[in-house]
Amino acid sequence: MSANPSALATAPASSRIAPPISASLWLNTPAPLTLDQLRGRVLVLHAFQMLCPGCVSHGLPQAMEIQRTFDPQTITVIGLHSVFEHHDVMTPAALRVFVHEYRLTFPIAVDQPSENRSLPRTMHAYAMQGTPTLVLIDARGRIRAQHFGGVSDLVVGAEIGRLLVERVESPLAV
Amino acid sequence: MSANPSALATAPASSRIAPPISASLWLNTPAPLTLDQLRGRVLVLHAFQMLCPGCVSHGLPQAMEIQRTFDPQTITVIGLHSVFEHHDVMTPAALRVFVHEYRLTFPIAVDQPSENRSLPRTMHAYAMQGTPTLVLIDARGRIRAQHFGGVSDLVVGAEIGRLLVERVESPLAV
Amino acid sequence: MSANPSALATAPASSRIAPPISASLWLNTPAPLTLDQLRGRVLVLHAFQMLCPGCVSHGLPQAMEIQRTFDPQTITVIGLHSVFEHHDVMTPAALRVFVHEYRLTFPIAVDQPSENRSLPRTMHAYAMQGTPTLVLIDARGRIRAQHFGGVSDLVVGAEIGRLLVERVESPLAV
Amino acid sequence: MSANPSALATAPASSRIAPPISASLWLNTPAPLTLDQLRGRVLVLHAFQMLCPGCVSHGLPQAMEIQRTFDPQTITVIGLHSVFEHHDVMTPAALRVFVHEYRLTFPIAVDQPSENRSLPRTMHAYAMQGTPTLVLIDARGRIRAQHFGGVSDLVVGAEIGRLLVERVESPLAV
């Protein structure tokens, strides 16, 4: 279901304050991260599932290239492992192996499972439709773009460029 | 360890009779397969691990293209899930999800774990050095090529072409 | 000489007013274009040679994708055929065939040859080091980036995004 | 017309003796080549036009990889510049620049123009439908495969493999 983007939930919101990340676990970071603490940076939140072909072939390589291209103190990439299917095999232990084998080095949150839904909490709060989903959060903590499925580097680059200008021009607003 | 081909064991043998496939489970086939029963066909045995990046990006797509390109009654592709690391997360249940998500349709054997080695039995019997490994077995059941890591379509194609001619020219020998 | 970017001339300037385009001929436009007349738009000037491998494999496809991705009234792509070698075979007649076969649809200026240099006039005025070269000109007519050789879509996208914000924020300055 | 394979002439023949190459000029060889003189080798004849996008993006890179992959004394790659359109700009002088810029090193024949047809002589003799066309000629000088447009490395590899076996098995027939 996740390889070819298809409908899962409602349409993405825009320009609202990004909901907090509900994580049951963090990898690649000494301590859990919060959006509040990252205010002032442009955030690239990449939601994926380790066994989603489109995430492995396109989404994660794009997230890694964003991480390599920009200054991490300005543009911070965060992975979000949002398992909404096959929960029994995409476990935190399996994710650790995946992260090691694919050499992912950005911080990754394991999206907190819900008690009464298949969708984990952060995925639900962002109204994501599936994986991969790329969310751009500006320096003031607002969702400015949310892409389900593939999105070109040109488009993501242009969006990042916009947020970088705003960040510099409105430092006090941050 | 498996993304970039590196040494795991001894060098591959050649032109010897292919050892039997020791499988604890078969997927995508109504009944277990044996090499004896497939004698007369050219076999492409593709050994992989579901969390090996080189297998996912190159090895498996190549195996799928071989399956699509040639007559399956003449060239039969068989997958071999040879787990030699991270056994706890590359389970048969996880493999089933992987096979479903990546739409693999050729028969896949789960390589039989060894009691006293990390290498599973078939991988050991073929002296494979890691994953991905592509083994070409001729119509008489002999190993004719064994490639660890990436190998170009041109080279694999040329090897398949050779075995196809021999198969037609020596039907009695089969 | 042009396939792998290498030094040709002096380093590119930045943030200066873009020199005018000296063209001996224009293709894909009913009338010659001038930078003055395009003031208020972000311009992507792509300098190439039709027999430069890096231009054909990377530069021109990137220019075409920029053209497809953004509103042409906001971001205008202009090709510049800057022949600095093999002048006898990269003629305007040959360029017309090339443009037809490769289905290029953005306006293309044939850079005006110099009388006493191998470098054509526009290429010289911009101090380009070879082909492909991508120049970004802001809505006020200033050179904001100049890339010789390959540059990633993420980087070009981010630069375009910056110039788009400025364009909207400073309409009077335009 | 040449970018996307489309009908130009009649269907390709097969298993007949390959017609001689009619060349007005040879590049990358100290002396003209003849098929008779190359008898005993498997030949890969790649017909292209320097301004044909499909030739530049797929056909020529495949010919170059065949040249790199196999022993040139066994598999010999020959280019054939078969101009059937835009004759005035795809001249021998322009081809020399193209060959230099794209670093083609295999021998290339310039297909002899016809007096009363747009199709050059060799292209006509082989009944080629356009460019790129890949022709495989066995060690006995017979056409064994002829592909107009793209053909996968797996398929070409398998055909080459077949011809290599025949070549070794029937040395006297050569």
Side-chain angles (χ1 to χ4, degrees):
Chain A
M1 179 186 294
S2 46
N4 297 317
S6 57
L8 222 202
T10 59
S14 67
S15 272
R16 58 178 177 117
I17 290 292
I21 295 175
S22 301
S24 56
L25 181 75
W26 282 88
L27 304 181
N28 290 340
T29 171
L33 302 180
T34 68
L35 297 188
D36 284 348
Q37 137 199 30
L38 296 167
R39 205 61 68 88
R41 301 185 189 184
V42 173
L43 301 185
V44 176
L45 183 64
H46 178 68
F48 70 101
Q49 293 184 107
M50 58 174 281
L51 297 184
C52 149
C55 301
V56 171
S57 64
H58 300 292
L60 287 165
Q62 185 176 59
M64 292 167 81
E65 196 188 339
I66 294 172
Q67 182 193 25
R68 275 192 304 267
T69 299
F70 300 100
D71 170 13
Q73 295 302 313
T74 307
I75 313 276
T76 297
V77 175
I78 298 175
L80 180 69
H81 195 233
S82 290
V83 179
F84 61 88
E85 55 186 350
H86 312 303
H87 301 77
D88 54 323
V89 302
M90 290 194 273
T91 61
L95 177 65
R96 282 186 200 280
V97 171
F98 177 83
V99 165
H100 171 74
E101 291 291 328
Y102 280 82
R103 301 176 189 184
L104 305 181
T105 57
F106 44 76
I108 295 174
V110 175
D111 201 352
Q112 178 89 46
S114 298
E115 289 172 15
N116 50 2
R117 281 187 304 266
S118 64
L119 290 195
R121 292 184 188 279
T122 314
M123 188 178 194
H124 179 74
Y126 281 77
M128 293 180 189
Q129 298 169 273
T131 56
T133 289
L134 192 74
V135 184
L136 292 177
I137 301 172
D138 68 19
R140 298 166 70 181
R142 298 171 305 184
I143 298 175
R144 297 295 294 278
Q146 184 163 324
H147 301 283
F148 170 44
V151 54
S152 79
D153 284 353
L154 264 183
V155 168
V156 172
E159 290 169 345
I160 288 175
R162 285 172 177 273
L163 301 189
L164 284 176
V165 175
E166 291 180 8
R167 176 179 173 272
V168 170
E169 291 184 347
S170 312
L172 294 184
V174 170
Chain B
M1 179 186 294
S2 46
N4 296 317
S6 56
L8 221 203
T10 59
S14 67
S15 272
R16 58 178 178 117
I17 289 293
I21 295 175
S22 302
S24 56
L25 181 74
W26 282 88
L27 304 181
N28 290 340
T29 171
L33 302 180
T34 67
L35 297 188
D36 284 349
Q37 139 200 26
L38 296 167
R39 204 61 68 89
R41 301 185 189 185
V42 173
L43 301 185
V44 176
L45 183 65
H46 177 68
F48 70 103
Q49 292 184 109
M50 58 175 279
L51 296 184
C52 149
C55 302
V56 171
S57 63
H58 300 294
L60 287 166
Q62 186 177 59
M64 293 167 81
E65 196 189 337
I66 294 172
Q67 182 193 23
R68 276 192 303 267
T69 299
F70 300 101
D71 170 13
Q73 296 301 314
T74 308
I75 312 274
T76 297
V77 174
I78 298 175
L80 179 69
H81 195 233
S82 290
V83 179
F84 62 88
E85 53 186 352
H86 312 303
H87 301 76
D88 54 324
V89 301
M90 290 194 272
T91 60
L95 178 64
R96 282 187 199 279
V97 171
F98 177 84
V99 165
H100 170 75
E101 290 292 327
Y102 280 83
R103 303 179 188 182
L104 305 180
T105 56
F106 44 76
I108 296 174
V110 174
D111 201 352
Q112 178 90 47
S114 299
E115 290 172 14
N116 49 2
R117 281 188 304 266
S118 64
L119 289 194
R121 291 183 188 280
T122 315
M123 189 178 194
H124 180 73
Y126 280 78
M128 292 179 190
Q129 297 169 274
T131 55
T133 290
L134 192 74
V135 185
L136 292 176
I137 300 172
D138 67 19
R140 298 167 70 181
R142 297 170 306 185
I143 297 175
R144 297 295 294 279
Q146 185 164 324
H147 302 282
F148 170 44
V151 55
S152 79
D153 285 353
L154 264 182
V155 167
V156 172
E159 290 169 345
I160 287 175
R162 285 172 176 274
L163 301 189
L164 284 175
V165 175
E166 291 180 8
R167 177 178 172 273
V168 170
E169 290 184 346
S170 311
L172 296 183
V174 173
Chain C
M1 179 186 295
S2 47
N4 296 317
S6 57
L8 221 203
T10 59
S14 66
S15 272
R16 58 178 177 118
I17 290 293
I21 296 176
S22 302
S24 55
L25 181 74
W26 282 88
L27 303 181
N28 290 340
T29 171
L33 303 180
T34 68
L35 297 189
D36 284 348
Q37 137 199 30
L38 296 166
R39 205 61 67 87
R41 301 184 188 186
V42 173
L43 302 184
V44 176
L45 182 65
H46 178 68
F48 70 102
Q49 292 185 108
M50 58 175 279
L51 296 184
C52 149
C55 301
V56 171
S57 64
H58 300 293
L60 287 166
Q62 185 177 58
M64 292 167 80
E65 196 187 339
I66 293 172
Q67 182 192 24
R68 275 192 303 268
T69 299
F70 300 100
D71 171 13
Q73 295 302 315
T74 309
I75 312 275
T76 296
V77 175
I78 298 175
L80 180 69
H81 195 234
S82 291
V83 179
F84 62 87
E85 55 186 350
H86 312 303
H87 301 76
D88 54 323
V89 301
M90 290 194 274
T91 61
L95 177 64
R96 281 186 201 279
V97 171
F98 178 83
V99 165
H100 170 75
E101 291 291 327
Y102 280 82
R103 302 177 190 185
L104 305 181
T105 57
F106 43 76
I108 295 175
V110 175
D111 201 352
Q112 178 90 46
S114 298
E115 291 172 13
N116 50 1
R117 281 187 304 267
S118 63
L119 289 195
R121 291 184 189 281
T122 316
M123 189 178 193
H124 179 74
Y126 280 77
M128 292 181 190
Q129 299 169 274
T131 56
T133 289
L134 193 75
V135 184
L136 292 176
I137 300 172
D138 67 20
R140 298 167 70 182
R142 297 171 305 184
I143 297 175
R144 297 295 294 277
Q146 184 163 324
H147 301 282
F148 170 44
V151 54
S152 80
D153 285 352
L154 264 182
V155 167
V156 172
E159 290 169 345
I160 288 175
R162 285 172 176 273
L163 300 189
L164 284 175
V165 175
E166 291 181 7
R167 175 178 173 273
V168 171
E169 291 185 347
S170 311
L172 295 183
V174 170
Chain D
M1 180 186 293
S2 47
N4 296 317
S6 57
L8 221 201
T10 60
S14 66
S15 272
R16 58 179 177 116
I17 289 293
I21 295 176
S22 301
S24 56
L25 180 74
W26 282 88
L27 303 181
N28 290 341
T29 171
L33 302 180
T34 67
L35 297 188
D36 283 349
Q37 139 200 28
L38 295 167
R39 206 60 68 88
R41 300 185 189 185
V42 173
L43 301 185
V44 176
L45 182 64
H46 178 68
F48 70 102
Q49 291 185 109
M50 58 175 280
L51 296 184
C52 148
C55 302
V56 171
S57 64
H58 300 294
L60 287 166
Q62 185 177 58
M64 292 168 82
E65 197 188 338
I66 294 172
Q67 183 193 24
R68 276 191 303 268
T69 300
F70 301 101
D71 171 13
Q73 295 301 313
T74 308
I75 313 275
T76 296
V77 175
I78 298 175
L80 180 69
H81 195 233
S82 291
V83 179
F84 62 88
E85 54 185 352
H86 312 303
H87 301 76
D88 55 322
V89 301
M90 290 194 274
T91 60
L95 177 64
R96 282 186 200 279
V97 171
F98 177 84
V99 165
H100 171 75
E101 290 292 327
Y102 280 83
R103 302 179 189 183
L104 305 180
T105 57
F106 44 76
I108 296 175
V110 175
D111 201 350
Q112 178 89 47
S114 299
E115 291 171 14
N116 50 0
R117 281 187 305 266
S118 64
L119 289 195
R121 292 185 188 280
T122 315
M123 190 178 193
H124 179 72
Y126 280 77
M128 291 180 190
Q129 298 168 273
T131 56
T133 290
L134 193 74
V135 184
L136 292 176
I137 300 172
D138 68 18
R140 298 167 70 181
R142 298 170 305 186
I143 296 175
R144 296 297 294 280
Q146 185 164 324
H147 301 283
F148 170 43
V151 54
S152 80
D153 284 353
L154 263 182
V155 167
V156 172
E159 290 169 345
I160 288 175
R162 286 172 176 273
L163 300 189
L164 284 175
V165 176
E166 292 180 8
R167 176 179 173 273
V168 170
E169 290 183 347
S170 311
L172 295 183
V174 172

